[in-house]
């Protein structure tokens, strides 16, 4: 149980614990604690200020590519109040990077669940996972027969693609 008065937050702790947890604090606050033992109590403690630090908002864009091409990742993360950040990428195929705007070559086609984690210089961490798409390459293939001069030639298309469609 607790209350707020003039920007000061008070907690009424009816236990012997050394820890009290405030959940979902959104703004910086000043805290004071008063300890009492039944009838006796101490004087109000000195105010302790707690700053609530903003989480980074990681976001990114990835090129849709064909197998064998390089995927470029563009980090579009948002930082607040002069924060700096380090980044950690997981490309969904067991490899990763710590470069802000990396490139990566995938060895297989398909949807790749890619995760970007941003860690601020204050130690606040946030992650986002998006899909990077690596398209299979079509295989161009056809059949034809020899013909005599002035005859019509027939081409039979036997091209295919592992996934998707040929247009």
């Amino acid at each position: 149980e607790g209350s707020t008065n003039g920007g000061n937050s008070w907690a009424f702790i009816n236990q012997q614990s050394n820890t009290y947890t405030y959940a979902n604090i959104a703004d910086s606050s000043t805290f004071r604690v008063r300890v009492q033992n039944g009838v006796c109590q101490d004087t109000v403690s000195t105010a302790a200020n707690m700053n609530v630090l903003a989480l980074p908002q990681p976001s990114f864009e990835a090129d849709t590519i064909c197998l064998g091409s390089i995927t470029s990742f563009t980090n579009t993360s948002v930082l607040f109040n002069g924060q700096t950040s380090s980044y950690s990428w997981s490309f969904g195929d067991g490899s990763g990077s710590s470069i802000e705007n990396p490139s990566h070559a995938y060895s297989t086609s398909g949807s790749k669940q890619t995760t970007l984690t941003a860690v601020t210089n204050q130690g606040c961490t946030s992650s986002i996972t998006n899909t990077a798409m690596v398209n299979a390459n079509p295989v161009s293939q056809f059949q034809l027969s020899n013909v005599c001069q002035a005859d019509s030639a027939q081409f039979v298309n036997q091209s295919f693609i592992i996934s998707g469609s040929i247009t």
Side-chain angles (χ1 to χ4, degrees), residues 19-136:
T19 305
Y20 186 81
T21 302
Y22 281 94
N24 300 317
I25 295 179
D27 297 315
S28 296
S29 301
T30 302
F31 290 86
R32 295 179 184 271
V33 177
R34 178 179 291 166
V35 180
Q36 95 182 43
N37 177 0
V39 179
C40 303
Q41 65 184 19
D42 73 348
T43 59
V44 175
S45 68
T46 306
N49 295 318
M50 179 186 67
N51 294 318
V52 175
L53 305 171
L55 288 175
Q57 293 180 351
S59 64
F60 66 92
E61 297 171 356
D63 296 338
T64 296
I65 56 121
C66 294
L67 185 60
S69 298
I70 303 289
T71 301
S72 294
F73 293 90
T74 304
N75 185 337
T76 57
S77 298
V78 176
L79 303 174
F80 299 96
N81 302 326
Q83 292 174 328
T84 58
S85 189
S86 61
Y87 299 100
S88 175
W89 295 84
S90 174
F91 296 122
D93 64 356
S95 62
S97 176
S98 60
I99 298 171
E100 185 172 347
N101 294 297
S103 296
H104 182 65
Y106 288 99
S107 60
T108 60
S109 61
S111 298
K112 309 298 179 180
Q113 295 301 305
T114 304
T115 301
L116 169 60
T117 301
V119 181
T120 68
N121 53 324
Q122 293 102 356
C124 298
T125 302
S126 188
S127 298
I128 189 169
T129 300
N130 289 335
T131 301
M133 189 64 200
V134 181
N135 293 304

